Amino acid sequence: MKILIVGAGRVGTSVAENLVSEQNDITVIDQRPDRLAYLHERFDLRTVQGDGCQPSILKQAGADDADMLIACVEQDSANLVVCKLARQIFNVPRRIARIRSPEIPEMPELLGEDGFCIDSLISPERSVTTYLHSLIEFPEALQVVEFAEGRVSVVTVKVGPKSPLAGQSVRHMDAVFPDVNARLVDVQRNGQPVTQGAGGIITPGDEVLLVGDTRHARRAVRQLHEAEKSVRRVMIAGGGNIGMRLAGDLADEGYSVRIIERDQSRCEYLAAQLPSNVLVLHGNGTDEALLERENIDEMDTWLALTSDDEDNIMSSLLAKRLGARKVIALINRQAYGELMQGSHIDIAVSPSQATMSELLRHVRRGDVVAVHRLRQGKAEALEAVAHGDRSNSKVVGRRVSDIRLPRGAAIVTLVRGEEIIMAENDTLIESGDHVIVFVPTRSQMAKVEKLFQVSASFF
């Protein structure tokens, strides 16, 4: 696929890095030569220096025959204009814009053919806020993503010492959930898979991937990990867009929320915009005296959500040492996140991975409804719709055991109308089923995509 990315900031760079590794033909436009030099040195892609709002620059970058344009400049206005030009002048088939404003998504008349010609919006702030909210709802989980409009949840959780799963064979791990519509898909120990061979015994500390009916997911997760107290008291460091959105959402649901912001004027804005039951504090998340004064040891969850990775790491380590039960840090640099995850920082959240999950469903081939990155981006799970019949589809009319999936990949769940089916070897896939597939490595995704592409006879 030939993809044109306008904007090489934090989001654009992350998008380019992820998509170029999947053998896409990528061209990046930006006005800053230092950003383009960084991308050109590290990745096999083309760069064009200039303003993406200029038709001549878009033409130079190859907009005439691009399959997709992703506009992710820092300014919303520029992204809107770029998508309009891409459609009306170059007829680019798919146009995606990164939008910060919460107002624009609520005005669909601005997005269609009579507006700015945008097919889809991506909002890193919204994606991260939604993801953080799910982690607070599942205090035992390391990662939570949803499919089928929230009806199916995929949860990563660490096995606790008192879990009934500890000491069980991987072969028989589904037996732990006799009365729950859920199943275990994958087990990892120190970043390596635990196989179903003779030594495949689950031990405390292993990370397991659970897929199931969202209504049953909490029960299943608590069987894997000693049930933690429900979260009611939350402290947030950082009053930017993500911190403000999350604080507002949690306060509306009855959580006790405190938010720390170092900028005085921003504090005043937060106090005016947030519900009255959110306590806004002027200060720094790394201020030990402030945290002690605000009873950090009584907090169920600490979230460090500033734009500075180092500050988020240091404040989270401090909060954990001072007694916060669970600490979550927003960390942009992947190397930092992998280093800190599971140490004194319980969960390191990558904004780029959350954004990519939102974007990937537009890049994947076939009728893909949703895609989520798992295990710090190493694995993926996707929801695809099965179309056609046995003559023109590689999955419809076939049993799960007859479908040639890549090694380690698995069809885990089917959503058929109102029914949620945990897939077994003899489960028959029907046209219209929403099929949720786990893929252990991203390099295998192309083979899975082809399974859900119907042949020409379908049309």
Side-chain angles (χ1 to χ4, degrees):
M1 184 180 293
K2 186 172 182 180
I3 302 174
L4 184 57
I5 300 172
V6 182
R10 182 174 289 172
V11 174
T13 297
S14 173
V15 170
E17 180 178 358
N18 279 272
L19 296 184
V20 78
S21 64
E22 301 185 5
Q23 299 180 340
N24 293 296
D25 181 2
I26 305 291
T27 302
V28 181
I29 298 174
D30 199 274
Q31 297 188 66
R32 288 179 50 175
D34 57 322
R35 289 178 172 179
L36 297 178
Y38 170 81
L39 286 171
H40 195 267
E41 290 170 4
R42 292 192 62 192
F43 308 112
D44 181 19
L45 49 72
R46 180 172 171 244
T47 60
V48 174
Q49 184 181 350
D51 182 357
C53 292
Q54 299 296 325
S56 59
I57 296 297
L58 291 174
K59 185 175 181 63
Q60 182 183 343
D64 284 318
D65 59 349
D67 299 304
M68 177 183 293
L69 178 139
I70 303 170
C72 43
V73 181
E74 284 82 352
Q75 297 80 23
D76 287 354
S77 56
N79 293 329
L80 296 172
V81 170
V82 168
C83 288
K84 182 81 167 178
L85 293 173
R87 173 66 178 92
Q88 293 195 338
I89 298 179
F90 301 101
N91 199 27
V92 178
R94 293 201 54 83
R95 303 156 306 279
I96 301 172
R98 178 261 180 94
I99 298 295
R100 289 177 178 269
S101 169
E103 298 179 14
I104 293 177
E106 298 176 358
M107 305 175 70
E109 64 273 13
L110 289 178
L111 309 179
E113 292 294 319
D114 295 330
F116 288 98
C117 306
I118 297 172
D119 293 308
S120 304
L121 298 177
I122 56 172
S123 170
E125 292 86 357
R126 182 186 60 198
S127 300
V128 173
T129 302
T130 301
Y131 182 57
L132 291 170
H133 194 282
S134 66
L135 290 174
I136 292 172
E137 288 185 323
F138 282 79
E140 303 90 354
L142 299 175
Q143 184 177 14
V144 183
V145 296
E146 294 181 341
F147 293 96
E149 299 180 336
R151 295 168 59 199
V152 175
S153 292
V154 178
V155 185
T156 303
V157 65
K158 185 172 290 188
V159 177
K162 298 179 182 179
S163 167
L165 198 61
Q168 296 285 337
S169 168
V170 176
R171 292 177 186 269
H172 307 110
M173 56 188 180
D174 286 348
V176 177
F177 306 111
D179 58 345
V180 175
N181 194 19
R183 62 174 290 194
L184 289 172
V185 177
D186 189 39
V187 182
Q188 295 266 324
R189 181 178 302 149
N190 300 322
Q192 299 299 319
V194 178
T195 65
Q196 295 188 6
I201 301 297
I202 299 171
T203 62
D206 288 351
E207 290 185 8
V208 300
L209 196 70
L210 169 77
V211 180
D213 187 326
T214 298
R215 295 169 297 182
H216 299 173
R218 175 63 61 81
R219 289 170 56 197
V221 167
R222 292 197 167 195
Q223 289 184 34
L224 293 171
H225 193 286
E226 307 90 278
E228 298 188 9
K229 296 184 298 181
S230 61
V231 174
R232 301 314 310 165
R233 292 163 297 190
V234 178
M235 185 176 286
I236 300 170
N241 290 337
I242 295 173
M244 184 175 74
R245 288 186 185 190
L246 183 62
D249 291 346
L250 294 176
D252 289 341
E253 296 174 13
Y255 289 85
S256 172
V257 183
R258 303 181 187 189
I259 185 167
I260 302 172
E261 170 57 44
R262 67 174 67 190
D263 182 81
Q264 177 67 43
S265 60
R266 182 67 178 179
C267 283
E268 295 171 358
Y269 177 78
L270 292 172
Q273 296 295 318
L274 290 171
S276 58
N277 56 335
V278 176
L279 179 60
V280 180
L281 303 167
H282 179 225
N284 194 314
T286 58
D287 184 340
E288 183 173 353
L290 172 62
L291 298 188
E292 289 181 330
R293 189 166 62 249
E294 295 301 326
N295 302 315
I296 184 65
D297 58 325
E298 297 179 0
M299 292 298 126
D300 297 314
T301 304
W302 161 273
L303 299 107
L305 307 179
T306 76
S307 58
D308 187 297
D309 285 355
E310 286 77 8
D311 265 10
N312 289 342
I313 291 170
M314 295 306 296
S315 66
S316 296
L317 293 174
L318 178 61
K320 191 71 169 182
R321 182 173 68 80
L322 294 176
R325 180 154 62 93
K326 183 175 184 178
V327 299
I328 300 173
L330 196 65
I331 302 177
N332 286 283
R333 293 184 61 177
Q334 185 175 348
Y336 283 6
E338 293 177 355
L339 182 66
M340 301 310 300
Q341 170 90 22
S343 59
H344 293 293
I345 294 176
D346 296 298
I347 302 177
V349 174
S350 166
S352 64
Q353 293 301 333
T355 305
M356 285 307 302
S357 292
E358 189 173 356
L359 179 64
L360 280 173
R361 68 187 181 94
H362 303 293
V363 179
R364 296 286 176 236
R365 295 169 175 84
D367 189 357
V368 175
V369 179
V371 181
H372 290 290
R373 288 274 168 89
L374 307 170
R375 303 199 187 287
Q376 287 81 48
K378 298 180 179 67
E380 284 188 11
L382 85 160
E383 174 189 350
V385 182
H387 292 294
D389 54 35
R390 190 176 178 86
S391 66
N392 51 38
S393 169
K394 298 181 179 68
V395 295
V396 175
R398 291 171 170 78
R399 301 187 187 280
V400 169
S401 58
D402 296 332
I403 297 172
R404 301 182 63 179
L405 291 164
R407 182 179 179 84
I411 292 174
V412 293
T413 309
L414 306 180
V415 180
R416 182 177 297 158
E418 297 300 314
E419 188 178 7
I420 297 175
I421 304 167
M422 295 298 116
E424 304 292 345
N425 284 337
D426 61 350
T427 302
L428 192 71
I429 297 178
E430 300 178 3
S431 182
D433 284 352
H434 285 236
V435 184
I436 298 170
V437 186
F438 169 74
V439 185
T441 60
R442 285 160 46 191
S443 61
Q444 299 172 322
M445 187 56 73
K447 295 180 180 179
V448 175
E449 290 173 11
K450 289 181 180 178
L451 290 173
F452 290 91
Q453 293 176 331
V454 294
S455 65
S457 63
F458 174 72
F459 303 99

